[in-house]
């Protein structure tokens, strides 16, 4: 059957100027992804320029947002949580207690509902922003709870609860970014000790249920997702 909806994307200028061969400001997408990971470019375009509207592309802005929002906020978060798991629980997903319920940053906002509403309305910029509110929330959660102090004080169960909630939130963040940053989502699952192929075979209804990351899984920290320049 014929499509019921056709969505036309907008156009973008480069540093406020129309792209032109004579100006030498044409953006080569192949060259661009040799400078930055493809997922980072996808993230930038979806958040910098509202889908369907005109916008402006800036390599300077891409660099800034790569460093602050992608490498620092998401990449550093994943590496940090995995490093603490490696150090404090011997590289295994810890067993949470009943008291851990309600600690997960996903509970702070109804992110799945907001995310689905934005996706259904083609508001991709807002959908990605709703995910990054969770990314920022986990970073704040870690700073507030200070797992390194809990380890020094011998409060292992509380530490286990904090780490489990951070790890499980990372699993769900991977699901949320899958349509925009598929390579990154798979890398996060693999680093969490999950099989990305098996993970994607799940239905979304099952995947979004809290507790999908099972205790005692061995993580694979690996290298940071987004190396800094």
């Amino acid at each position: 059957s014929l499509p019921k909806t056709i969505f036309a994307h907008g156009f973008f200028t480069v540093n406020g100027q129309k792209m032109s061969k004579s100006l030498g400001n044409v953006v080569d997408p192949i060259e661009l992804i040799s400078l930055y990971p493809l997922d980072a470019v996808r993230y930038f375009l979806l958040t910098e320029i509202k889908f369907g509207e005109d916008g402006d592309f800036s390599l300077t802005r891409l660099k800034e947002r790569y460093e602050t929002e992608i490498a620092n906020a998401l990449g550093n978060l994943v590496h940090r949580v995995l490093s603490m798991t490696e150090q404090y629980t011997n590289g295994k997903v810890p067993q949470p207690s009943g008291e851990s319920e309600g600690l997960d940053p996903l509970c702070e906002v109804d992110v799945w509902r907001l995310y689905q509403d934005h996706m259904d309305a083609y508001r991709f910029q807002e959908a990605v922003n709703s995910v990054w509110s969770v990314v920022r929330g986990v970073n704040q959660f870690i700073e507030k709870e200070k797992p390194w102090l809990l380890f020094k004080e011998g409060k292992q169960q509380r530490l286990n609860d904090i780490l489990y909630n951070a790890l499980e939130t990372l699993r769900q963040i991977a699901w949320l970014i899958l349509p925009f940053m598929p390579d990154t989502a798979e890398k996060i699952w693999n680093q969490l000790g999950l099989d990305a192929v098996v993970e994607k075979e799940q239905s979304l209804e099952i995947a979004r249920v809290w507790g999908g990351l099972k205790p005692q899984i061995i993580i694979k920290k690996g290298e940071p997702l987004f190396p800094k320049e």
Side-chain angles (χ1 to χ4, degrees), residues 2-186:
L2 293 173
K4 296 179 180 178
T5 303
I6 298 176
F7 207 110
H9 64 74
F11 296 90
F12 59 82
T13 53
V14 177
N15 297 318
Q17 294 182 304
K18 184 177 179 181
M19 275 197 289
S20 165
K21 288 184 179 180
S22 59
L23 291 174
N25 65 347
V26 174
V27 178
D28 183 342
I30 303 302
E31 183 180 339
L32 191 60
I33 62 173
S34 71
L35 300 174
Y36 295 96
L38 178 56
D39 277 6
V41 175
R42 287 194 186 102
Y43 171 89
F44 177 74
L45 292 175
L46 285 165
T47 54
E48 185 77 6
I49 302 172
K50 200 166 187 177
F51 189 64
E53 297 184 8
D54 296 343
D56 186 66
F57 177 86
S58 164
L59 195 57
T60 300
R61 285 284 294 148
L62 171 56
K63 180 179 179 180
E64 289 173 354
R65 299 192 71 171
Y66 174 83
E67 292 178 352
T68 58
E69 299 171 22
I70 301 175
N72 284 346
L74 178 61
N76 186 57
L77 170 66
V78 174
H79 196 68
R80 188 182 192 188
V81 172
L82 293 173
S83 294
M84 289 190 293
T85 304
E86 193 174 71
Q87 183 177 356
Y88 302 148
T89 60
N90 297 317
K92 294 181 180 180
V93 176
Q95 176 69 54
S97 68
E99 295 179 359
S100 71
E101 295 180 8
L103 285 176
D104 57 286
L106 277 170
C107 287
E108 298 298 320
V109 292
D110 192 358
V111 65
W112 277 107
R113 181 186 59 79
L114 289 173
Y115 176 86
Q116 193 63 57
D117 288 347
H118 291 318
M119 292 289 281
D120 289 344
Y122 306 108
R123 296 190 298 263
F124 303 132
Q125 184 183 53
E126 289 86 346
V128 179
N129 287 339
S130 69
V131 180
W132 250 251
S133 71
V134 177
V135 172
R136 289 189 293 271
V138 185
N139 278 310
Q140 293 166 1
F141 173 70
I142 291 170
E143 289 301 317
K144 176 185 174 184
E145 298 293 341
K146 297 179 172 56
W148 48 94
L149 290 183
L150 295 173
F151 180 73
K152 287 181 179 180
E153 295 167 359
K155 298 179 180 178
Q156 191 62 45
Q157 189 54 64
R158 178 67 178 179
L159 176 60
N160 289 352
D161 290 346
I162 301 303
L163 287 179
Y164 180 82
N165 279 272
L167 290 163
E168 169 63 2
T169 303
L170 290 181
R171 183 188 72 84
Q172 297 212 17
I173 285 174
W175 269 101
L176 290 160
I177 67 172
L178 182 62
F180 315 112
M181 306 172 77
D183 295 339
T184 304
E186 291 189 11

